[in-house]
Amino acid sequence: MLLIGDHNRDGVAHTTKQHCKSSKEDVLEPIVVKAQKLVEHEGHPHTQDYDDMTQEFVMTVISDYHACLCAKGPMPDHTMETSLLDASWAQAHKVTGVNLACSPQLAKLIGNSFFFHGQLKTKLHPLVKAMFGFHSSQSKNVIKKNQALVEGLKEGTNFAFKHMSADEDGQWGFLKAPLIQKIINTMWFANKHDDGVVFHDYFKPFPLLALALVLVAIECCIDEWVTGTQTDIPFTIQEYHGAYKSHLKCLHVFKDATKQYNALPGICARLYEVGWCVSQLCYLLMIIIKSLMYHSIHSGAGPLSAPAKVTVSACIIATAIKEYEDGMTTKDKSD
């Protein structure tokens, strides 16, 4: 190597330096891939219109984005929506290894927060009616009972308690109403592939923001009975953003007032734990049913049939503290 001239040595060094620089650039700036649209048609675009790679990438973004919205911005403004979408896009790049260029057409495929708002309300509709005892009837007597039920449920956020009462002294089990756990199970823990299980980084423990969304969604479904007969009320950011903020403030007040007992974090942890257990049980039940159907078919047997202002008063806080002092933690008297 001592026989090589300075010019050649410098040239080799220069070339090597350039090669190293180029390699670093390749790592830092991977090739941007453009989506290939295979089907053209009028109206809203569909994921199936694109090539397989784009479909996989977009579905990855959608899953992460909807989970991220629930946990970090259930009622976002445009700026937050854009920020969360960018984060989910980057996560999809990390997961798939594809650096797909974003476009307005692809952004439309992702959708927005209205999607899961409507999904949440749709799942809540029958639960609110059945669990609170609303009845569909043109009878004046039934209509009056429905109206009184609405007033009673919304008074002092009664619907969020395990035991409801017209008097605050009679209320106990704040945030332990069966409906709350039921809709969380149905919405996010229906099976082991659901968002609450797959995106446990977002949902463990159950997010405070998502809990506020659940409360305001329940309130929206109750509001539909305010006239005594059920009337559709859109669950939109415009209509319920104020109520959402009110419920969120209520949760923060409760958290601060009971921080010595770690009450709210304990409740959120239990909501996740119960939801996770339900998802696993549902999966096992599905396997058992499929197994029974398989054996039934192959054995020759027949087939199986298949917004008011929300506040947390000193009385509510005192009752919650007493529950924890009595050793009830996140369980209630019936546990």
Side-chain angles (χ1 to χ4, degrees):
M1 292 186 65
L2 293 174
L3 297 176
I4 297 176
D6 291 342
H7 176 75
N8 289 338
R9 184 166 61 249
D10 291 341
V12 172
H14 178 69
T15 302
T16 305
K17 183 178 180 181
Q18 287 293 100
H19 177 71
C20 291
K21 181 179 180 182
S22 176
S23 298
K24 289 180 180 178
E25 288 177 350
D26 289 341
V27 173
L28 295 175
E29 298 180 12
I31 298 173
V32 177
V33 180
K34 292 186 178 180
Q36 296 181 24
K37 193 171 185 181
L38 307 178
V39 181
E40 294 290 346
H41 59 80
E42 296 293 330
H44 197 280
H46 303 291
T47 308
Q48 294 85 346
D49 299 341
Y50 293 85
D51 61 282
D52 292 343
M53 180 192 68
T54 301
Q55 289 186 40
E56 180 186 357
F57 186 92
V58 168
M59 292 307 297
T60 302
V61 175
I62 289 173
S63 297
D64 186 88
Y65 180 59
H66 287 167
C68 191
L69 273 174
C70 291
K72 298 183 178 181
M75 286 207 164
D77 54 23
H78 178 70
T79 301
M80 179 174 285
E81 272 192 312
T82 302
S83 175
L84 294 179
L85 177 56
D86 288 345
S88 294
W89 200 273
Q91 178 64 16
H93 166 48
K94 181 179 178 181
V95 171
T96 64
V98 176
N99 189 25
L100 188 68
C102 188
S103 68
Q105 290 77 18
L106 291 179
K108 287 182 180 179
L109 292 175
I110 311 303
N112 53 39
S113 58
F114 300 133
F115 172 80
F116 75 85
H117 289 165
Q119 189 181 38
L120 178 59
K121 188 191 168 190
T122 298
K123 292 179 183 294
L124 262 173
H125 258 298
L127 295 177
V128 167
K129 182 178 180 180
M131 297 183 77
F132 288 140
F134 287 106
H135 296 281
S136 298
S137 174
Q138 295 302 315
S139 165
K140 291 183 178 179
N141 200 25
V142 172
I143 289 174
K144 287 182 179 180
K145 287 182 178 179
N146 286 337
Q147 290 175 320
L149 183 56
V150 170
E151 292 180 6
L153 288 171
K154 295 190 67 171
E155 180 67 29
T157 323
N158 236 337
F159 64 83
F161 287 84
K162 172 71 175 179
H163 185 272
M164 297 179 288
S165 174
D167 185 359
E168 285 186 350
D169 291 332
Q171 292 176 319
W172 54 263
F174 184 48
L175 301 175
K176 299 172 191 173
L179 177 60
I180 294 175
Q181 184 72 65
K182 180 68 175 176
I183 187 56
I184 287 174
N185 296 348
T186 305
M187 183 71 181
W188 291 287
F189 297 93
N191 55 68
K192 73 171 192 173
H193 303 294
D194 220 342
D195 285 357
V197 180
V198 175
F199 298 99
H200 52 82
D201 288 345
Y202 291 143
F203 288 93
K204 183 181 181 180
F206 193 75
L208 200 62
L209 299 180
L211 181 55
L213 180 72
V214 167
L215 294 176
V216 74
I218 294 173
E219 184 175 339
C220 175
C221 290
I222 293 172
D223 286 342
E224 293 190 327
W225 292 90
V226 71
T227 62
T229 57
Q230 191 173 23
T231 306
D232 183 61
I233 296 178
F235 183 42
T236 63
I237 295 176
Q238 291 78 9
E239 292 292 330
Y240 280 91
H241 187 264
Y244 166 75
K245 288 292 186 183
S246 184
H247 279 290
L248 187 58
K249 181 180 179 181
C250 165
L251 292 176
H252 281 298
V253 170
F254 180 75
K255 180 181 180 181
D256 291 341
T258 59
K259 61 183 178 182
Q260 178 182 350
Y261 305 92
N262 207 34
L264 190 53
I267 290 172
C268 289
R270 183 172 171 81
L271 289 172
Y272 171 83
E273 289 164 3
V274 173
W276 186 89
C277 289
V278 167
S279 70
Q280 305 307 304
L281 289 172
C282 287
Y283 177 74
L284 290 174
L285 182 61
M286 181 182 67
I287 296 297
I288 292 171
I289 291 174
K290 285 185 177 180
S291 177
L292 290 173
M293 291 178 68
Y294 176 84
H295 289 296
S296 175
I297 291 171
H298 289 273
S299 66
L304 296 174
S305 57
K309 184 179 179 181
V310 183
T311 59
V312 179
S313 68
C315 181
I316 292 174
I317 292 171
T319 301
I321 290 175
K322 188 175 186 303
E323 291 175 15
Y324 282 84
E325 287 178 336
D326 291 344
M328 294 172 67
T329 62
T330 58
K331 300 180 181 181
D332 55 52
K333 296 178 181 178
S334 63
D335 286 347

